[in-house]
Amino acid sequence: MGVCCPFLRPWDRTRDQFPLNLPCLSDPVRRSSLLLKLALVALHLVFIGFLFVCDAEFIEKTKRDPWYMASYFLLFSATLLQYFVTSGSSPGYVIDAMRDVCETNAMYRNAPTTSIIELYTFIMSLFKRRQHASRKSGSVIVTVEGESASGGRRTPSSWGKLVLDLYPPGTSLRNLTCGYCHVEQPPRAKHCHDCDRCVLQFDHHCVWLGTCVGQKNHCKFWWYICEETTLCMWTLIMYIDYLSNVVKPWWKNAIIILLLVVLVISLIFVLLLLLFHSYLILTNQSTYELVRRKRIPYMRNIPERVHPFSKGIKRNLYNVCCSNDNLDSLPTSFELEDRSRPYTCLDMLKCRCC
């Protein structure tokens, strides 16, 4: 062993350093996300590949009706494309919205030099806040847009003023600051521990996508599960057609039944997920708000059957599909009282829900 060690050590070092040279493999979170993506793609290929490998009649049917399989493969490709587009899209981070507001205000002031300085101090401020998050001392911090030099009371920045306008009067900016990334959170935002950022209109962190579902990509996520549901239904029909043909060897039937059970379970899951997220979009809710309603301070006193951010079905659909960069403000007590009214026949005729 002593003779072999000099030859094995370079190989061991190369093997250990190989994942570090690839950004997608150096981070454990990204590595697990990449493996899940590869597993999902392989699962799709297994379901359709089995029919081509084990069923000669299926190949003959493909030759007779090329349009049928062309339509299926078009849906198959569109589903995988939508999956990678959704997984690579940003859910909408608070830090990005905060930076856009600072740059927009600097542009309106027509001061290019000032905007560069404010952007630099803004980045340095976030770095200092993260570095000294665990220290409870009155040390000097970098100022951003009127922020005081002491660690105590400070005047709100342009982003802080914008966030305060979304809450009822009298709300303290200190209570709206995230304890992890130290940015002011607008309503419906939440810090994601997997992404280590605050997400606008946080819905949930999807491990299969490797990213959060939020304000910017909720529509893409809905289209993905819609296409996935359609693809599962179509594949299920082809598998049932395969079983209804002539008798085949027992091992082929055993494999097809096993795959059929997995396919039915997957179809039930994605179909329920599609219906659930359709309901959330129509009522302008998120999974986090629906499940953790009692833990959100500004939603504890709102009746459960009242959707505080809903603006009607048509406006909700428009905001999700076409205008996903608006920040929702908390409704006033008058608006909440109006939405809590029970529906009457006249409301049904006037389409009050729309």
Side-chain angles (χ1 to χ4, degrees):
M1 286 299 294
V3 178
C4 298
C5 283
F7 299 97
L8 293 177
R9 284 171 186 169
W11 163 250
D12 292 338
R13 287 196 297 268
T14 305
R15 184 189 59 190
D16 295 338
Q17 292 179 357
F18 177 72
L20 300 177
N21 296 328
L22 298 176
C24 59
L25 297 179
S26 59
D27 186 9
V29 177
R30 297 182 64 182
R31 183 164 60 245
S32 61
S33 175
L34 179 62
L35 293 177
L36 284 175
K37 291 178 183 179
L38 293 177
L40 188 66
V41 174
L43 190 63
H44 284 76
L45 295 176
V46 164
F47 276 104
I48 186 61
F50 179 80
L51 293 178
F52 276 101
V53 172
C54 299
D55 190 6
E57 297 179 2
F58 184 76
I59 300 177
E60 293 296 329
K61 183 179 179 180
T62 304
K63 295 179 180 179
R64 290 196 308 267
D65 302 321
W67 60 270
Y68 181 81
M69 288 309 301
S71 302
Y72 178 82
F73 279 112
L74 182 62
L75 177 62
F76 182 85
S77 304
T79 303
L80 291 182
L81 179 62
Q82 185 67 31
Y83 169 75
F84 285 107
V85 168
T86 307
S87 63
S89 61
S90 171
Y93 297 111
V94 175
I95 188 71
D96 296 333
M98 188 176 182
R99 187 182 295 112
D100 293 341
V101 170
C102 293
E103 291 178 352
T104 302
N105 290 341
M107 254 188 337
Y108 280 134
R109 285 195 294 265
N110 295 323
T113 306
T114 307
S115 63
I116 296 175
I117 295 175
E118 287 180 352
L119 185 59
Y120 173 76
T121 54
F122 164 72
I123 296 174
M124 290 301 297
S125 172
L126 290 181
F127 177 76
K128 290 289 185 181
R129 290 179 185 178
R130 279 177 172 266
Q131 188 177 11
H132 302 286
S134 60
R135 299 181 184 177
K136 297 182 179 180
S137 60
S139 58
V140 178
I141 60 174
V142 180
T143 59
V144 181
E145 293 190 11
E147 192 172 345
S148 64
S150 62
R153 188 177 179 182
R154 62 187 176 90
T155 57
S157 62
S158 57
W159 172 255
K161 294 177 182 177
L162 177 63
V163 171
L164 280 176
D165 291 340
L166 302 175
Y167 287 91
T171 304
S172 174
L173 194 62
R174 185 185 300 272
N175 298 331
L176 307 178
T177 304
C178 175
Y180 297 96
C181 52
H182 304 280
V183 295
E184 292 83 5
Q185 293 180 338
R188 313 188 71 183
K190 182 188 177 295
H191 184 86
C192 176
H193 296 281
D194 296 295
C195 299
D196 196 24
R197 293 182 182 181
C198 287
V199 180
L200 295 170
Q201 292 186 18
F202 176 81
D203 189 89
H204 71 285
H205 183 88
C206 182
V207 294
W208 292 101
L209 294 175
T211 185
C212 286
V213 177
Q215 184 185 50
K216 298 286 187 179
N217 61 352
H218 201 171
C219 181
K220 298 176 184 177
F221 177 74
W222 186 90
W223 278 111
Y224 164 65
I225 56 178
C226 180
E227 294 173 8
E228 193 72 64
T229 303
T230 308
L231 183 65
C232 286
M233 288 181 178
W234 200 334
T235 309
L236 181 64
I237 292 174
M238 291 194 301
Y239 269 63
I240 294 175
D241 183 63
Y242 173 82
L243 285 176
S244 62
N245 289 335
V246 295
V247 180
K248 299 176 179 64
W250 66 269
W251 61 271
K252 287 186 178 181
N253 290 333
I255 295 176
I256 201 70
I257 291 175
L258 178 62
L259 293 177
L260 191 61
V261 171
V262 176
L263 187 61
V264 170
I265 295 175
S266 302
L267 176 59
I268 294 174
F269 174 76
V270 294
L271 181 59
L272 292 177
L273 191 65
L274 177 64
L275 296 175
F276 176 68
H277 278 273
S278 299
Y279 167 75
L280 292 179
I281 290 176
L282 292 177
T283 56
N284 197 8
Q285 296 185 89
S286 66
T287 304
Y288 175 72
E289 293 170 349
L290 189 65
V291 176
R292 303 290 186 180
R293 191 183 184 103
K294 296 299 182 181
R295 295 182 58 180
I296 303 176
Y298 52 82
M299 297 187 68
R300 289 173 183 168
N301 299 325
I302 300 177
E304 292 189 2
R305 61 187 184 88
V306 175
H307 311 307
F309 301 105
S310 178
K311 300 176 178 63
I313 294 177
K314 293 187 293 185
R315 185 64 182 273
N316 293 339
L317 287 174
Y318 176 80
N319 289 340
V320 171
C321 300
C322 306
S323 178
N324 55 8
D325 54 353
N326 296 326
L327 298 176
D328 292 329
S329 61
L330 288 175
T332 62
S333 57
F334 175 77
E335 292 174 338
L336 290 176
E337 184 180 356
D338 181 66
R339 293 174 187 176
S340 61
R341 289 189 300 108
Y343 277 83
T344 62
C345 297
L346 185 60
D347 292 332
M348 295 293 183
L349 294 175
K350 291 183 178 180
C351 295
R352 174 187 159 190
C353 60
C354 299

